[in-house]
Amino acid sequence: AIKEKSVFEAPSCAGQGTAYTYDYGSYTVETYPAEDKKNRIGYITLKDDTVATAEGIDLSATKDQVKAKYGEPDSSSSDTILIYKKGSMKLEFIFEGNSMKSIQYVSSVLA
């Protein structure tokens, strides 16, 4: 098992209880307390190009490369975020100019 580098906890804005952020260096996992009293994954954020999506996209990819792999986004935000939806999750590619800053998987519970 991979050990996190740090854990941050704070009151959850998504529900009653505590939310946790587990930092693994190249990525973070954020949880929220669900109604069943268990913590569920709300976000997974890829923060550098040592990790990639299952389809092989990492932070070195361009907008055109993302679109070539995933097609046209389901939505976008001012051309800074490309958003793809599948089932109960969203996959967001976040850009600053032409450089990708992060890739984020987001639970639709929090979206």
Side-chain angles (χ1 to χ4, degrees):
I2 298 173
K3 179 75 174 141
E4 69 275 350
K5 291 184 177 194
S6 66
V7 178
F8 176 77
E9 60 183 81
S12 173
C13 51
Q16 300 289 348
T18 303
Y20 295 90
T21 300
Y22 299 90
D23 187 344
Y24 294 91
S26 297
Y27 63 96
T28 59
V29 176
E30 297 178 48
T31 67
Y32 67 94
E35 290 179 12
D36 63 3
K37 308 277 189 222
K38 295 180 181 179
N39 269 27
R40 304 288 183 193
I41 294 175
Y43 301 92
I44 298 173
T45 304
L46 309 184
K47 302 187 306 180
D48 66 31
D49 62 2
T50 65
V51 289
T53 66
E55 295 77 18
I57 297 293
D58 64 25
L59 268 62
S60 68
T62 65
K63 291 175 190 173
D64 288 339
Q65 289 170 321
V66 170
K67 289 178 181 179
K69 184 62 77 171
Y70 292 96
E72 285 300 313
D74 293 309
S75 61
S76 62
S77 174
S78 314
D79 208 31
T80 59
I81 303 175
L82 303 177
I83 301 169
Y84 296 87
K85 297 176 184 177
K86 184 174 183 181
S88 64
M89 295 295 291
K90 289 192 317 182
L91 177 56
E92 301 178 343
F93 297 93
I94 302 164
F95 289 86
E96 187 174 287
N98 290 325
S99 299
M100 192 178 325
K101 292 300 177 189
S102 67
I103 299 170
Q104 194 166 59
Y105 291 90
V106 182
S107 169
S108 64
V109 171
L110 303 177

